[in-house]
Amino acid sequence: MEGIEFLPIIGIGLIVIAVAILFTFIPVMLWISALAAGVKVSIFTLIGMRLRRVVPSRVINPLIKAHKAGIDVTTNQLESHFLAGGNVDRVVNALIAAQRANIELSFERGAAIDLAGRDVLEAVQMSVNPKVIETPFIAGISMDGIEVKAKARITVRANIDRLVGGAGEDTVIARVGEGVVSTIGSAKDHKQVLENPDSISHNVLNRGLDAGTAFEILSIDIADVDIGKNIGAILQTDQAEADKNIAQAKAEERRAMAVAQEQEMVAKVQEMRAKVVEAEAQVPQALAEALRSGKMGVMDYMNYKNIGADTDMRDAIGKLTDNDEDDEK
């Protein structure tokens, strides 16, 4: 009898546990909130989301928000975007912002932009409130060789149609930098750039630099212009230094060649002296041969010796005279 009395309590406990499990697995409160907002979602749809590992609140809450804003989206669209790894709430917020700003944006395009890794809500906000991109100092060289540095502010607006596949801010900054450098380089002197900095912005803006990017360039304003180094003078100085080094190298080469030639001539003189000595050594042999063969007589030989002695005497007298003149000086 005592066990029978506890059966109702056990039954009530089992019922409470079953209801708790039911409310945990089935988001009944979320279903009630959707019905209260006028969004027709069946309880079996929510159970299917649980089975497909979809967080029901991540789909139903944005669906309620879109329904209240008058945007026609379905549960399947939001659920498929969630399963693809997208941010459903951000896409719905972007659709609402686009509708309020009278910007044409479909759910498919917004989902594609979000899956492409871009912030679709920020893109819509940028379409309404343009963004200002500030470039670093961009250096260019005018025709007179003076370096001119310019900083630009680029006002851009997001282009919804080109957000998928369009280039980003880095491309816009690079194109503007190229245009600034080209405009400064075409100026006759740096004073022309300082007097009319707006000529840079007009020239760059007319080039259509936003083609293929995710932005539409509204204006390009030169915020600051500064003078840098005299690159022309530096290049001329470097060229003059290089020419001087080349001339010095060539002069050193000629000096080395002259020294080598001088040494070569000294060697040739020594060679010729050796030949003279060799020839002089053959004279006594020739005289002896002439005496033996009878081609020269004794008197002829004596005359030859007298002439040699007379020549030596004249050389000695000449050397004494030269020494006396040097002493007098």
Side-chain angles (χ1 to χ4, degrees), residues 26-37:
I26 302 174
V28 179
M29 297 304 298
L30 188 64
W31 175 64
I32 294 173
S33 298
L35 292 179

Side-chain angles (χ1 to χ4, degrees), residues 282-310:
Q282 294 176 358
V283 171
Q285 297 177 3
L287 292 174
E289 182 64 27
L291 289 173
R292 282 195 298 269
S293 62
K295 294 180 179 180
M296 178 184 288
V298 177
M299 295 304 296
D300 293 330
Y301 177 72
M302 295 302 293
N303 290 331
Y304 167 75
K305 296 294 288 182
N306 290 331
I307 292 173
D310 186 56

Side-chain angles (χ1 to χ4, degrees), residues 23 45 67-68 92-93 96 101 124 128 141 227 265 273 276 309:
F23 274 82
T45 301
H67 179 74
K68 288 298 183 180
V92 171
N93 289 338
I96 296 173
V124 173
V128 178
I141 311 298
I227 299 297
M265 295 303 295
R273 287 179 178 175
V276 170

